[in-house]
Amino acid sequence: MNMLRIGTWRSAESVDVVACGWHDSGPGPYRTGIRLIYAGDGPMPEFPGLRVCARPARNAEEIAGLLCAGLDVVLTAPGCCPAAPVVAAGMWHYGWTRDDEGPLAGATAAGLALVARPGPCAVEIWRDGRSSFDTLHAGAR
């Protein structure tokens, strides 16, 4: 199973954050991890020991490029398309290119739907661009 889960936190105390988590269970050791993408119109906290981008990314390709370069935390520029973090996460995780129109369209739709949902929530994206949503509740696992 190869899965990409993307979630948002929305609160008055913090900037909008998109977390991209993955779990790969192919040949070899299991890999799991997380990357953070922050909206650029608010302050970003310090992340000692993590690789943080030096300048804001303007679109999905720039976000994906920074994630592929090994950065742990990416800041997006004001005005960046709200679906860009979800599309970029798929490009980074699955290796999608401009030729992968179906998956890119699916991720775009999922990204726009994720942004429109109030409160914390998450979406799972599959390699073919299909998605499913989960509203995260306080105390949920």
Side-chain angles (χ1 to χ4, degrees):
M1 173 211 277
N2 190 337
M3 186 246 324
L4 177 62
R5 185 172 177 90
I6 303 164
T8 61
W9 287 269
R10 291 184 182 91
S11 71
E13 303 85 37
S14 68
V15 296
D16 194 18
V17 179
V18 177
C20 311
W22 72 93
H23 178 84
D24 294 325
S25 59
Y30 287 114
R31 292 184 334 153
T32 61
I34 193 163
R35 298 290 188 261
L36 300 175
I37 302 171
Y38 275 84
D41 19 356
M44 190 165 59
E46 295 292 322
F47 293 104
L50 295 181
R51 294 162 295 191
V52 180
C53 69
R55 63 176 179 78
R58 297 172 297 172
N59 55 49
E61 288 181 325
E62 287 184 11
I63 296 169
L66 292 167
L67 293 172
C68 289
L71 293 171
D72 299 307
V73 183
V74 175
L75 179 68
T76 63
C80 184
C81 174
V86 175
V87 174
M91 293 169 74
W92 159 69
H93 184 68
Y94 294 122
W96 296 337
T97 67
R98 291 178 184 209
D99 294 332
D100 296 307
E101 294 172 354
L104 291 172
T108 300
L112 292 173
L114 183 68
V115 171
R117 291 176 176 249
C121 58
V123 61
E124 290 183 2
I125 305 285
W126 285 271
R127 182 175 297 283
D128 64 3
R130 288 178 298 132
S131 61
S132 67
F133 284 89
D134 179 25
T135 302
L136 303 176
H137 301 286
R141 294 176 190 239

